[in-house]
Amino acid sequence: MKIKGILTAGICVVALSAATRAMAIDAKAKNMILMDYETGAYLYEKNITEPIPPASMSKLMTIYMIFDKLRNGSLSLEDTFRVSENAWRKGGAASGGSTMFLAIGDEVTVDQLLKGIIIQSGNDACIVAAENIAGDEESFVAEMNTKAQELGLKNSHFANVTGLPHPDHKMSVEDLAHLARLIIKEFPQFYHLFSQKEFVYNNIRQGNRNPLLYSMPYADGMKTGHTEEAGFCLTASAKKGERRIIEVMTGLKSSKERSEEAEKMMNWAFREYDNYQLIEKGRKVADVPVWYGTYKTVPMVVSEDVVRTFKKSLRNQVKLIISYDSPVKAPVQMGQKLGVLKIEIPDEAITEVPLIAGQTINKVGLWGKIVANIKYLLTGEM
């Protein structure tokens, strides 16, 4: 027999659809995504899967690769790399692009290079790291493309380590948001570098180009970008209280427009959306009758903490519905799926969370079955 019931305790939420979100606010960016860090919910979408020139935002992939090698022990912050003439010519002061102002023959530590990449967006720093880690930039780029596939960056392909214009160098804003989330989650010991506002190398002081670091007290990362093709771009992260939002935008017309739009969209996301725990892991939602069990019922519990991101104005329009077959036949193993918790919000797809057995129920022996059958025939009770 199929049993259904509506839970009234707690709040259930889901992210709004792209169509609904797009109506809420208009972003000037050509490509735009707002993502909740904790749940991964998309709060705003605009051309998010389109592979586009990412400019210096793609340095996040170069940074991820260096962080990953620091994590596995093949690299240390104290390792020293030598600056080649190639790195100086392609990414140094003479190149006209963003630079750490490395000089040919300089001995520079990995720690310095990371600050040069993250804070100063140094193209020379990226190339020096690639050449010394993989032998040459091309080999390092091949590793980047392999790792990108492993990370599920489906609309990304790298042709260099700097983000300089190249027809085969593309990322989507969705991939950039996922990459930013991975960096924050996997490398908390290094994340503070993204909020450092300045770094001095070769007696040259350069400031972090992320505009939100100066206009929003709770912004703490991550990477700007600009080329003629990509426009003014930004991958940003901000944490307000316990909530963190990741923002990626491209195609803005000026640094001023980028700064204004980034702050506007980030504030909108914090204002309009919130995270809600609708029900906690292990909470019992029903006692399910058991045929031929050593106990008459088995507690059915929620398999995981269920947290959703949703628009604050919709918090009273959501239902939690439990659905399960009753009775179940013994034996029942702890953790066995018994039903589902359905999460319903108006005009949205239903999401489901498994409901599982909260304990093991063994099967009775032959005599127990006989007694149970007789009792059922006489009283209708199991």
Side-chain angles (χ1 to χ4, degrees):
M1 179 173 61
K2 180 70 71 175
I3 305 293
K4 290 187 178 181
I6 297 178
L7 297 179
T8 57
I11 301 172
C12 177
V13 298
V14 295
L16 293 178
S17 69
T20 305
R21 285 193 295 270
M23 295 170 58
I25 192 170
D26 182 31
K28 293 181 180 179
K30 180 177 180 291
N31 306 80
M32 175 85 196
I33 187 169
L34 287 164
M35 174 194 287
D36 183 90
Y37 170 76
E38 182 182 0
T39 65
Y42 296 175
L43 313 182
Y44 187 91
E45 302 175 39
K46 185 177 182 180
N47 303 324
I48 67 170
T49 61
E50 179 188 5
I52 48 130
S56 284
M57 293 190 297
S58 68
K59 286 186 173 82
L60 288 174
M61 191 67 208
T62 305
I63 293 164
Y64 183 96
M65 299 296 292
I66 297 172
F67 283 169
D68 191 44
K69 292 179 186 301
L70 288 167
R71 174 172 58 185
N72 67 30
S74 63
L75 199 62
S76 77
L77 292 173
E78 294 74 33
D79 285 341
T80 301
F81 294 160
R82 188 175 182 83
V83 179
S84 70
E85 181 177 348
N86 177 65
W88 177 79
R89 289 191 181 280
K90 289 178 66 175
S95 69
S98 56
T99 177
M100 185 179 167
F101 291 101
L102 295 168
I104 299 172
D106 275 0
E107 298 285 342
V108 58
T109 65
V110 170
D111 181 63
Q112 290 173 312
L113 288 173
L114 276 172
K115 291 173 182 175
I117 297 170
I118 294 171
I119 302 164
Q120 300 175 332
S121 197
N123 295 327
D124 48 358
C126 293
I127 298 169
V128 169
E131 290 179 341
N132 283 269
I133 291 172
D136 54 55
E137 183 177 0
E138 292 73 20
S139 298
F140 193 90
V141 168
E143 290 185 26
M144 289 171 63
N145 283 314
T146 299
K147 179 61 72 172
Q149 293 303 307
E150 293 175 5
L151 298 178
L153 307 183
K154 297 178 289 186
N155 295 298
S156 295
H157 184 270
F158 304 97
N160 57 56
V161 296
T162 58
L164 289 170
H166 189 287
D168 296 327
H169 194 86
K170 305 282 187 180
M171 293 187 78
S172 67
V173 294
E174 181 181 47
D175 283 355
L176 278 160
H178 281 291
L179 180 58
R181 189 183 186 208
L182 288 171
I183 289 173
I184 298 168
K185 181 179 181 180
E186 295 183 19
F187 306 107
Q189 69 273 38
F190 302 125
Y191 185 65
H192 65 94
L193 294 173
F194 290 95
S195 60
Q196 189 170 324
K197 291 184 179 179
E198 63 179 23
F199 179 58
V200 179
Y201 183 80
N202 242 348
N203 295 318
I204 300 172
R205 184 182 303 274
Q206 295 190 72
N208 196 313
R209 300 172 189 184
N210 182 351
L212 295 189
L213 295 181
Y214 307 96
S215 63
M216 298 181 72
Y218 41 92
D220 57 11
M222 297 180 68
K223 192 74 194 71
T224 59
H226 172 248
T227 62
E228 185 175 345
E229 187 179 11
F232 287 84
C233 314
L234 177 66
T235 297
S237 177
K239 186 176 182 182
K240 194 173 184 180
E242 294 302 311
R243 289 198 65 212
R244 179 180 292 281
I245 291 173
I246 294 169
E247 171 183 62
V248 186
M249 53 172 52
T250 73
L252 281 306
K253 297 177 182 178
S254 67
S255 59
K256 181 177 183 292
E257 185 177 65
R258 174 177 63 188
S259 178
E260 292 172 349
E261 279 294 291
E263 187 168 354
K264 178 189 80 174
M265 296 300 292
M266 190 71 83
N267 282 327
W268 173 82
F270 278 117
R271 183 176 65 249
E272 295 294 324
Y273 288 83
D274 209 344
N275 292 342
Y276 297 88
Q277 180 169 348
L278 64 95
I279 196 165
E280 67 279 5
K281 179 180 180 179
R283 177 179 169 183
K284 185 175 77 170
V285 296
D287 287 307
V288 182
V290 181
W291 273 111
Y292 304 133
T294 51
Y295 291 90
K296 293 182 178 180
T297 62
V298 58
M300 185 171 62
V301 302
V302 182
S303 62
E304 61 191 59
D305 284 325
V306 181
V307 179
R308 296 289 188 272
T309 306
F310 84 114
K311 209 165 187 181
K312 296 175 183 178
S313 61
L314 301 176
R315 63 179 300 167
N316 296 320
Q317 301 181 38
V318 186
K319 295 179 181 178
L320 302 180
I321 300 174
I322 59 173
S323 178
Y324 59 98
D325 291 321
S326 178
V328 295
K329 192 173 182 180
V332 179
Q333 298 298 318
M334 185 173 180
Q336 177 181 327
K337 182 178 177 181
L338 300 179
V340 294
L341 173 69
K342 296 183 178 182
I343 304 166
E344 292 188 0
I345 188 168
D347 302 321
E348 295 298 327
I350 296 172
T351 59
E352 296 184 353
V353 173
L355 297 172
I356 60 175
Q359 72 179 76
T360 295
I361 305 294
N362 294 319
K363 188 176 182 179
V364 298
L366 178 61
W367 179 247
K369 286 185 179 181
I370 294 172
V371 172
N373 288 335
I374 293 173
K375 182 179 180 181
Y376 181 75
L377 290 173
L378 293 176
T379 68
E381 296 181 6
M382 291 193 302

